[in-house]
Coordinates of all heavy atoms in Angstrom, one line a residue:
E105 N 4.0 -7.0 20.1 CA 4.1 -8.5 20.3 C 3.1 -8.8 21.5 O 2.3 -9.9 21.3 CB 5.5 -8.9 20.9 CG 6.6 -8.7 19.8 CD 7.2 -7.4 19.7 OE1 6.7 -6.4 20.4 OE2 7.9 -7.0 18.7
E106 N 3.0 -8.0 22.5 CA 2.0 -8.4 23.5 C 0.6 -8.2 23.1 O -0.3 -9.0 23.3 CB 2.4 -7.4 24.8 CG 1.7 -7.9 26.0 CD 0.3 -7.0 26.4 OE1 0.1 -6.2 25.6 OE2 -0.3 -7.4 27.4
F107 N 0.5 -7.1 22.3 CA -0.9 -6.8 21.7 C -1.4 -8.0 20.7 O -2.5 -8.5 20.9 CB -1.0 -5.5 21.1 CG -2.3 -5.1 20.6 CD1 -3.2 -4.5 21.5 CD2 -2.7 -5.2 19.3 CE1 -4.4 -4.1 21.1 CE2 -3.9 -4.8 18.8 CZ -4.7 -4.1 19.7
A108 N -0.6 -8.5 20.0 CA -0.8 -9.5 19.1 C -1.2 -10.8 19.7 O -2.1 -11.4 19.4 CB 0.4 -9.7 18.1
E109 N -0.4 -11.0 20.8 CA -0.7 -12.2 21.6 C -2.1 -12.2 22.3 O -2.8 -13.2 22.3 CB 0.5 -12.4 22.6 CG 0.3 -13.7 23.5 CD -0.5 -13.6 24.7 OE1 -0.5 -12.5 25.4 OE2 -1.2 -14.6 25.0
R110 N -2.4 -11.1 22.7 CA -3.7 -10.9 23.5 C -4.8 -11.1 22.3 O -5.9 -11.7 22.6 CB -3.9 -9.6 24.1 CG -3.2 -9.5 25.4 CD -3.3 -8.1 26.0 NE -2.6 -8.0 27.3 CZ -3.3 -8.3 28.5 NH1 -4.6 -8.5 28.4 NH2 -2.6 -8.1 29.6
F111 N -4.6 -10.7 21.1 CA -5.5 -10.7 20.0 C -5.8 -12.0 19.6 O -6.8 -12.5 19.4 CB -5.1 -9.9 18.8 CG -6.1 -9.7 17.7 CD1 -7.5 -9.3 18.0 CD2 -5.7 -9.9 16.5 CE1 -8.3 -9.3 17.0 CE2 -6.6 -9.8 15.4 CZ -8.0 -9.5 15.6
E112 N -4.7 -12.9 19.5 CA -4.8 -14.2 19.2 C -5.4 -15.0 20.3 O -6.2 -16.0 19.8 CB -3.4 -14.9 18.9 CG -3.4 -16.3 18.3 CD -2.1 -16.9 18.1 OE1 -1.0 -16.3 18.4 OE2 -2.0 -17.9 17.5
Q113 N -5.2 -14.7 21.5 CA -6.0 -15.4 22.5 C -7.4 -15.2 22.3 O -8.2 -16.0 22.4 CB -5.5 -14.9 23.9 CG -6.2 -15.5 25.0 CD -6.1 -14.8 26.4 OE1 -6.0 -13.7 26.5 NE2 -6.0 -15.6 27.5
L114 N -8.0 -13.9 22.2 CA -9.3 -13.7 21.9 C -9.8 -14.4 20.8 O -11.0 -15.1 20.9 CB -9.5 -12.2 21.8 CG -10.8 -11.7 21.3 CD1 -11.9 -12.1 22.2 CD2 -10.8 -10.2 21.0
L115 N -9.0 -14.5 19.6 CA -9.6 -15.2 18.5 C -9.7 -16.7 18.7 O -10.6 -17.3 18.3 CB -8.6 -15.0 17.3 CG -8.5 -13.6 16.8 CD1 -7.4 -13.6 15.6 CD2 -9.7 -13.1 16.3
T116 N -8.7 -17.3 19.5 CA -8.8 -18.7 19.9 C -10.0 -19.0 20.7 O -10.7 -20.0 20.4 CB -7.5 -19.1 20.6 OG1 -6.4 -18.8 19.8 CG2 -7.5 -20.6 21.0

Side-chain angles (χ1 to χ4, degrees):
E105 293 84 4
E106 194 260 357
F107 187 77
E109 185 274 323
R110 285 178 177 269
F111 186 50
E112 185 176 10
Q113 179 196 32
L114 171 60
L115 299 174
T116 300

